[in-house]
Amino acid sequence: MSVRVRRSCILLPALGLLLLLAFWLSLALGPLRLPLVDSLLALLRLAGLPLSGEGLEQAELIVGQIRLPRTLLGLAVGSVLALSGVAMQALFRNPLADPGLIGVSSGAALGAALAIVAGVGESPEASPYLLSASAFAGGLAVTALVYRLGRRDGRTRVATMLLAGLALGALAGAAVGLCGYLADDTALRRLTFWNLGSLSGASYARLWPLLLATLGVALWLPRRAGALNALLLGESEARHLGFDVEWLKRELVFCTALGVGAAVAAAGLIGFVGLLVPHLLRLLCGPDHRLLLPAAMLGGASLLLFADLLARLLLAPAELPLGIVTALLGAPFFIWLLRREPL
């Protein structure tokens, strides 16, 4: 049995069980705690099974209307951020690469800031659509500009694209700061909390566009695992192996823009997931993307669900912004990883 098969036989089932545990706890725990059995029975009732029992109607209402969309949103956001992190680290051939390097997060933040300051979608019915659409459009616009600036003589230069992403990210950050300066108190508070990231605004209406984007990225990137493995050897080596490197770069940039743009549009800015999860799992399972991509998807979803649990429980009934929790968890752990495995 090969090393890859042995690792996948251990790692993927373990991550799958961890995700199931995180999913179950996310349905049961919160300011109003449900018994673990009741949360599971409520989920089965939502699936159509004719179960009955004391308190199951209330549990079904809480799970179905509040916690299930929030849990599914966290699962999708964590998965797509981790997958995007793997794609960017392969593109830049650097384990410290992050999806934000190509400007998609900053662009999405700018799109949302412009919408909030302009008062777009202030009604509860319109806000999930218009604010998310503005953030998604901003992320795609900045990413397209970064990609255009990185093109020279028919080729995409990764170093140029990196510098363009950093410059446009800084410019978008300055524009977000200007929006905050010009905003009134209500818009400023809304903008601040959106930039810190949260799953509290989860709804089925906001969920389905993100699920479609996550599904597309999760189905496409594993099909390119062999090309990603070749890209780690270098662009010239990947070309000699028969891969169209320029087309692969476009695919990676598009998948990252689609996934991160949709995630930021749905949940705000959430850091460290796309950086920490791929880096940690690469230490556990190696650089083979045939195993790394599914492992990152499971690991990213688990990390974000556990982080959201902490955000809900630490100051209950108040709630911490999710971006603060991921930073508090991710930064010390990443520093420990760097000291243990220097780059």
Side-chain angles (χ1 to χ4, degrees):
M1 185 181 294
S2 67
V3 175
R4 175 180 173 268
V5 173
R6 289 199 301 269
R7 286 175 175 173
S8 61
C9 289
I10 297 174
L11 183 62
L12 293 182
L15 289 173
L17 291 175
L18 183 65
L19 179 57
L20 287 176
L21 176 62
F23 189 91
W24 192 6
L25 293 177
S26 182
L27 295 179
L29 301 182
L32 177 60
R33 302 193 180 191
L34 300 175
L36 291 175
V37 175
D38 285 0
S39 63
L40 180 59
L41 293 177
L43 187 61
L44 294 176
R45 280 172 60 96
L46 289 170
L49 295 181
L51 302 175
S52 61
E54 184 179 354
L56 280 187
E57 289 80 5
Q58 182 185 14
E60 181 183 5
L61 181 63
I62 294 173
V63 170
Q65 298 300 317
I66 300 175
R67 294 187 182 167
L68 183 58
R70 182 176 185 137
T71 301
L72 292 175
L73 181 65
L75 189 152
V77 169
S79 297
V80 79
L81 288 179
L83 286 172
S84 301
V86 173
M88 285 297 96
Q89 290 174 12
L91 176 63
F92 292 105
R93 296 188 294 281
N94 189 327
L96 290 179
D98 180 81
L101 287 178
I102 61 172
V104 59
S105 299
S106 301
L110 177 57
L114 291 173
I116 291 172
V117 172
V120 173
E122 291 184 349
S123 67
E125 295 80 9
S127 179
Y129 299 99
L130 295 180
L131 179 60
S132 296
S134 300
F136 185 64
L140 287 182
V142 172
T143 304
L145 184 56
V146 168
Y147 180 77
R148 180 65 185 86
L149 292 174
R151 296 281 292 176
R152 290 290 188 279
D153 302 324
R155 290 191 174 183
T156 305
R157 302 181 183 275
V158 173
T160 305
M161 192 166 62
L162 172 62
L163 294 175
L166 292 175
L168 290 178
L171 184 61
V176 171
L178 180 61
C179 289
Y181 179 78
L182 297 175
D184 57 29
D185 290 342
T186 301
L188 179 60
R189 180 176 178 84
R190 189 179 176 202
L191 176 60
T192 300
F193 278 95
W194 191 90
N195 281 330
L196 291 175
S198 176
L199 302 180
S200 60
S203 65
Y204 293 110
R206 178 173 290 185
L207 178 62
W208 69 264
L210 175 62
L211 286 179
L212 291 177
T214 302
L215 182 63
V217 174
L219 290 177
W220 186 254
L221 283 181
R223 293 165 55 92
R224 309 296 283 157
L228 293 176
N229 288 341
L231 189 61
L232 293 179
L233 302 175
E235 292 187 18
S236 299
E237 289 78 1
R239 289 191 184 94
H240 288 312
L241 290 173
F243 295 103
D244 188 340
V245 174
E246 293 304 312
W247 183 256
L248 178 62
K249 291 177 183 177
R250 286 194 289 269
E251 288 181 0
L252 294 179
V253 170
F254 176 77
C255 284
T256 301
L258 176 64
V260 177
V264 173
L269 294 175
I270 298 173
F272 274 97
V273 178
L275 175 64
L276 179 63
V277 173
H279 189 82
L280 174 60
L281 290 174
R282 190 176 285 107
L283 296 178
L284 294 176
C285 66
D288 189 347
H289 288 86
R290 292 173 294 177
L291 177 57
L292 182 58
L293 285 168
M297 185 168 58
L298 296 172
S302 301
L303 174 63
L304 203 67
L305 289 182
F306 280 120
D308 184 53
L309 274 175
L310 290 177
R312 282 187 273 168
L313 298 177
L314 286 178
L315 297 179
E319 181 178 321
L320 279 173
L322 184 55
I324 292 178
V325 177
T326 57
L328 290 175
L329 292 176
F333 191 62
F334 193 70
I335 292 173
W336 176 80
L337 282 178
L338 292 179
R339 289 182 58 85
R340 180 176 177 271
E341 297 283 345
L343 298 175

